[in-house]
Amino acid sequence: MFQNLSALWKGFKNFFICNYYCLIQGKNFYPASILPKHTYRSIINIDDLLNKQELYILRRAEISPEDLFTDLGTLNSDAIDLKDIPDLSMNLMGSFFTDKHVKFVPLKKGSQIWPGGVKVYLSDFIDEYKVLTDNFSFFYINLKELHKISIPFEKEKDTQAENLFKQLKYANTVLGNRIISVKNGTSEIKHAPTYLNYWHIELQIKDPSSKVISRGKSRAASEILSKFLIEHIFSVKSIATLDKVTPARIVKSSYILIE
Amino acid sequence: MEARPIYHYDSNIVIEMKAMSGNSLYFPDPSCDEYDKIVREYNRKVAEISFLLNRYSYSSTTSSTTTTTILEEEITNQEDLKKTLLSPAYIKNLEHLKNSFNKSFYKNKELLTLNSDDVYKKFLELASSFSELPFENAVVELTKSQSIKFTFLFDDDKLLLISKNIENNDDLNYNEIVFSLFINKELIISNVSESISFVEGFQKFLYL
């Protein structure tokens, strides 16, 4: 009984505070559709998602839209700041997150990890987000291009790659039916829902010994991996629109708890 | 073989190779074992000097006063030399890379932590090698993270990306680069390689 009354009171408070700030003080309405709900799973399993569908990621860039792509159609290497990798923040598309939400930037507690099972009232976060108005842009990239890829690359035997290896006089690079590069790290997408954005994901990087590299502790080797991701993978694989692709919708069972 | 200075007359600039290279260059005999290496070295030196002179907008008159000696009369068979050593495609490619680099340089120069002359020098070292590649289009980016990145487009939708950290604070050697080859946007190979041997190997790969 008490819990019901408390929830009702919080609901009313939320309604009035949000409307006061947004209607009277002119603050932009934060999109409630991307907030975590207590019926959501605390973590979405990315491997399961990828087994089921082709999904895209959206990333905001703090450069103007006209500078976002080069004359060759590759992503400007300054679209992502090196210091933002590892744990690069991005947004998972295919459900409620759309490009209209990219201007909202959660701050402080709003950007902290949502622990799961907790109802989020926007009125508690009224000063914990900012709204960008200009000088930003965004791009998309297929989830599978970043999840569990090897850096530098390792792939199935390929005649073109083999020819180039031969001409470069690399020794012992063909092992069995795979071509192995000298130093391999891996990248992985991790679901990291925050209080203000359930669809927030992060790019994790593992060094060649499979140790997760944490931000601020990167050594020279991890800088190569991070730069490789920005300057090579993001550069070629990022796209400006989703017009020519067919992104799937995330199935509800991937994120809603089933009783 | 007797060591002699090589001179190259590039538009309005006379470049005195001997002064800049410490007597290390001489007319190569095409039959000698080191011919390819000498040609490559020559191309790099010409590119470097030409680029630096152009950068500082020296006229032919001022360049002649800054170089130690101008001995145009000693240039023998100059046209043949140009034809052999500096193909129009090489010069065109280098110009293209320079223009692209300049665009990026002026946009990002205030973000550089290194001396801009050192950055130019590093760019030049790389560009003078990469100009040998028969690319259709290219973009050079000087990034906020202190890297020079080259993106080359070849026929059959081959995209070659090469990046080099100019601070040399990664664990790569001074001459090593990170490269990736994409065909139809699919990553075919990525690795670390020494830059000059990479160019040699990649050229052979393209002509397979």
Side-chain angles (χ1 to χ4, degrees):
Chain A
M1 177 68 175
F2 175 75
Q3 277 182 335
N4 286 345
L5 278 175
S6 172
L8 198 62
W9 165 244
K10 277 185 179 171
F12 273 125
K13 194 177 134 195
N14 187 53
F15 177 81
F16 285 115
I17 289 178
C18 290
N19 277 288
Y20 170 77
Y21 276 98
C22 297
L23 297 175
I24 312 290
Q25 296 219 341
K27 192 170 168 83
N28 282 52
F29 274 106
Y30 191 89
S33 60
I34 61 171
L35 298 178
K37 294 184 173 49
H38 65 285
T39 51
Y40 284 2
R41 293 177 189 277
S42 55
I43 294 288
I44 296 175
N45 185 316
I46 299 293
D47 289 324
D48 284 354
L49 273 190
L50 272 176
N51 286 338
K52 289 174 189 157
Q53 58 242 307
E54 186 115 328
L55 293 167
Y56 282 80
I57 291 169
L58 184 149
R59 162 76 190 174
R60 181 178 49 247
E62 289 184 13
I63 57 176
S64 61
E66 55 273 20
D67 287 334
L68 190 58
F69 285 89
T70 70
D71 295 345
L72 288 179
T74 52
L75 185 74
N76 184 328
S77 294
D78 285 338
I80 300 170
D81 204 320
L82 184 65
K83 69 175 167 45
D84 290 338
I85 289 185
D87 305 333
L88 181 75
S89 286
M90 295 178 291
N91 306 287
L92 185 60
M93 307 285 289
S95 57
F96 294 104
F97 197 96
T98 70
D99 54 17
K100 283 183 288 187
H101 301 134
V102 77
K103 65 181 179 183
F104 294 95
V105 185
L107 306 166
K108 299 178 275 183
K109 196 184 172 190
S111 63
Q112 287 175 13
I113 296 294
W114 175 67
V118 177
K119 194 165 183 182
V120 176
Y121 293 96
L122 204 48
S123 54
D124 295 337
F125 296 89
I126 214 79
D127 291 323
E128 318 240 326
Y129 67 92
K130 66 177 177 180
V131 185
L132 301 177
T133 51
D134 55 11
N135 209 32
F136 73 95
S137 48
F138 55 87
F139 57 87
Y140 304 92
I141 187 165
N142 194 319
L143 177 60
K144 71 171 188 233
E145 305 292 0
L146 296 173
H147 188 57
K148 293 193 173 167
I149 65 158
S150 202
I151 326 164
F153 206 62
E154 169 191 306
K155 76 187 299 281
E156 294 299 318
K157 187 174 175 177
D158 180 287
T159 322
Q160 296 274 39
E162 221 178 354
N163 284 340
L164 181 54
F165 266 125
K166 217 161 114 187
Q167 297 306 329
L168 294 175
K169 298 186 176 73
Y170 284 163
N172 302 321
T173 47
V174 181
L175 299 175
N177 68 341
R178 299 181 76 82
I179 291 178
I180 310 293
S181 60
V182 181
K183 294 169 184 171
N184 284 333
T186 45
S187 73
E188 207 167 309
I189 296 293
K190 200 180 79 181
H191 183 219
T194 64
Y195 280 100
L196 286 183
N197 182 7
Y198 181 73
W199 306 103
H200 177 256
I201 51 176
E202 287 178 350
L203 180 68
Q204 203 172 56
I205 297 184
K206 292 177 180 172
D207 72 10
S209 61
S210 294
K211 267 189 196 157
V212 174
I213 297 166
S214 45
R215 192 182 282 189
K217 288 184 182 171
S218 54
R219 294 179 302 105
S222 67
E223 192 165 311
I224 296 176
L225 305 182
S226 303
K227 281 194 174 188
F228 172 79
L229 276 170
I230 297 173
E231 293 169 4
H232 294 231
I233 298 297
F234 274 103
S235 176
V236 175
K237 298 291 187 177
S238 298
I239 51 177
T241 72
L242 295 178
D243 294 349
K244 290 180 184 167
V245 294
T246 45
R249 297 288 303 169
I250 297 175
V251 291
K252 284 186 176 176
S253 59
S254 301
Y255 61 90
I256 292 182
L257 288 164
I258 299 161
E259 295 291 323
Chain B
M1 192 186 307
E2 187 193 348
R4 296 170 57 191
I6 295 176
Y7 296 89
H8 164 63
Y9 192 84
D10 182 11
S11 59
N12 62 346
I13 303 168
V14 177
I15 298 160
E16 207 267 271
M17 298 296 293
K18 183 183 167 188
M20 304 295 282
S21 60
N23 285 335
S24 63
L25 295 172
Y26 45 85
F27 274 119
D29 174 354
S31 62
C32 80
D33 293 344
E34 296 279 280
Y35 181 74
D36 283 349
K37 200 176 154 195
I38 294 166
V39 167
R40 192 162 285 112
E41 181 62 18
Y42 174 82
N43 278 341
R44 258 194 296 281
K45 281 290 169 191
V46 168
E48 187 175 335
I49 294 164
S50 168
F51 183 65
L52 288 172
L53 291 176
N54 281 334
R55 187 182 162 223
Y56 291 110
S57 304
Y58 287 137
S59 68
S60 58
T61 321
T62 53
S63 68
S64 63
T65 56
T66 52
T67 50
T68 52
T69 49
I70 299 295
L71 298 167
E72 279 184 270
E73 64 275 14
E74 278 195 15
I75 302 172
T76 54
N77 208 8
Q78 182 185 291
E79 286 308 307
D80 281 353
L81 182 69
K82 273 174 72 176
K83 228 179 283 170
T84 315
L85 302 179
L86 277 169
S87 72
Y90 178 89
I91 295 294
K92 195 177 142 212
N93 288 351
L94 187 64
E95 282 296 321
H96 184 96
L97 297 180
K98 274 158 48 181
N99 292 339
S100 184
F101 176 79
N102 280 339
K103 231 163 92 180
S104 186
F105 180 81
Y106 287 109
K107 205 175 256 182
N108 275 352
K109 65 179 176 185
E110 67 280 4
L111 301 167
L112 281 174
T113 55
L114 294 167
N115 176 299
S116 61
D117 279 347
D118 292 340
V119 175
Y120 258 95
K121 202 178 154 203
K122 190 70 214 169
F123 160 72
L124 205 61
E125 274 174 36
L126 297 166
S128 57
S129 291
F130 300 154
S131 294
E132 293 175 27
L133 297 171
F135 56 84
E136 287 178 356
N137 203 350
V139 169
V140 186
E141 293 169 78
L142 179 61
T143 73
K144 283 191 285 195
S145 57
Q146 315 297 308
S147 286
I148 302 176
K149 180 185 150 196
F150 294 80
T151 306
F152 298 104
L153 177 67
F154 297 93
D155 59 359
D156 297 330
D157 209 12
K158 290 191 187 80
L159 204 58
L160 172 68
L161 283 80
I162 297 174
S163 49
K164 177 68 188 167
N165 183 339
I166 36 182
E167 287 180 316
N168 280 311
N169 58 1
D170 49 27
D171 64 356
L172 298 187
N173 292 331
Y174 181 81
N175 286 325
E176 283 184 325
I177 48 145
V178 178
F179 73 90
S180 298
L181 174 68
F182 292 80
I183 299 180
N184 296 322
K185 288 207 158 193
E186 285 306 314
L187 182 56
I188 300 298
I189 176 178
S190 184
N191 217 321
V192 172
S193 176
E194 196 276 319
S195 60
I196 293 174
S197 61
F198 174 80
V199 171
E200 285 172 19
F202 195 78
Q203 275 177 306
K204 287 178 190 165
F205 162 74
L206 287 175
Y207 292 120
L208 281 177

